[in-house]
Amino acid sequence: MFIHIGGDEVVLTKDVVMILDKTALCAKDTSEFLQVAREEGFVSEDENLYNDTQENKKTAVILDKKILFSPISATTLSKRADFIKNLK
């Protein structure tokens, strides 16, 4: 199953480890984690898809091998991930 996380970006649900909302992104520990991940090259920030403003980074999607930012809320992304489960 895939999750559309905004722009032209789609990820496999099996690769998603965690979805962090905007309030979690502002926490000290999380921002330190993201800084280390950015320095090590795990953070993917395509400037064509998202401006580098905090307004457009509503959610961080932590994947198995990279971190993506999304302009879509964590609640919406979670609902998209559970969409197929709810059809059964």
Side-chain angles (χ1 to χ4, degrees):
M1 181 67 193
F2 295 95
I3 304 171
H4 178 256
I5 64 166
D8 293 331
E9 199 70 41
V10 178
V11 298
L12 286 169
T13 54
K14 70 178 184 125
D15 292 340
V16 176
V17 175
M18 185 182 325
I19 298 173
L20 299 172
D21 66 354
K22 193 170 194 167
T23 57
L25 294 177
C26 297
K28 182 183 176 192
D29 292 338
T30 306
S31 60
E32 289 174 1
F33 165 75
L34 291 174
Q35 183 61 36
V36 170
R38 186 175 284 114
E39 291 169 1
E40 294 183 5
F42 289 102
V43 177
S44 178
E45 297 180 284
D46 188 350
E47 305 235 347
N48 295 327
L49 293 176
Y50 318 111
N51 294 332
D52 200 25
T53 62
Q54 287 299 100
E55 296 172 357
N56 291 333
K57 292 182 181 179
K58 291 183 180 177
T59 307
V61 181
I62 314 297
L63 302 174
D64 191 27
K65 298 186 182 189
K66 65 181 172 178
I67 299 172
L68 301 169
F69 289 100
S70 174
I72 300 170
S73 73
T75 304
T76 301
L77 291 177
S78 295
K79 287 178 183 177
R80 290 180 182 183
D82 290 335
F83 178 73
I84 293 299
K85 292 178 187 175
N86 293 333
L87 288 178
K88 294 180 181 180

